[in-house]
Amino acid sequence: MGFSILLVDDSKFIRKGIAKELSNILADKTLNLTEAANGKEALEHLFTTSFDLVLLDLTMPEKNGYEVLEALKEKGIRTNII
């Protein structure tokens, strides 16, 4: 069984670290990890792709995490978000 995760953070360093840990944690699973550097990129992915989980930073350029959540609510998109 595989997991599709969207990792959203403006820090490349943070994304790299979390991606490494996810790979270790889910070593026996197929991991489809997509990264976004800001809220605008995140919404582009979320409007076109379904994810099992979204790891969302709240303080980012372009659109912050709160704005991403509001846009998802307006579109009626429901997904698991941390």
Side-chain angles (χ1 to χ4, degrees), residues 2-81:
F3 290 97
S4 178
I5 298 175
L6 175 61
L7 174 56
V8 187
D9 198 296
D10 56 317
S11 170
K12 185 176 182 179
F13 178 77
I14 297 292
R15 290 194 317 269
K16 184 176 180 179
I18 292 174
K20 182 178 179 182
E21 288 303 313
L22 287 172
S23 294
N24 291 336
I25 293 167
L26 300 171
D28 60 336
K29 309 283 189 227
T30 301
L31 175 61
N32 180 17
L33 183 65
T34 303
E35 295 183 20
N38 58 56
K40 183 179 176 189
E41 285 181 26
L43 288 174
E44 290 170 2
H45 290 295
L46 288 162
F47 290 159
T48 60
T49 307
S50 175
F51 294 94
D52 296 312
L53 178 65
V54 178
L55 298 174
L56 179 64
D57 184 14
L58 294 178
T59 55
M60 299 177 292
E62 303 279 335
K63 285 191 178 290
N64 65 41
Y66 298 107
E67 292 169 317
V68 170
L69 292 171
E70 187 63 34
L72 293 176
K73 183 178 176 183
E74 288 174 7
K75 293 274 190 180
I77 296 173
R78 297 179 50 100
T79 189
N80 298 309
I81 301 173

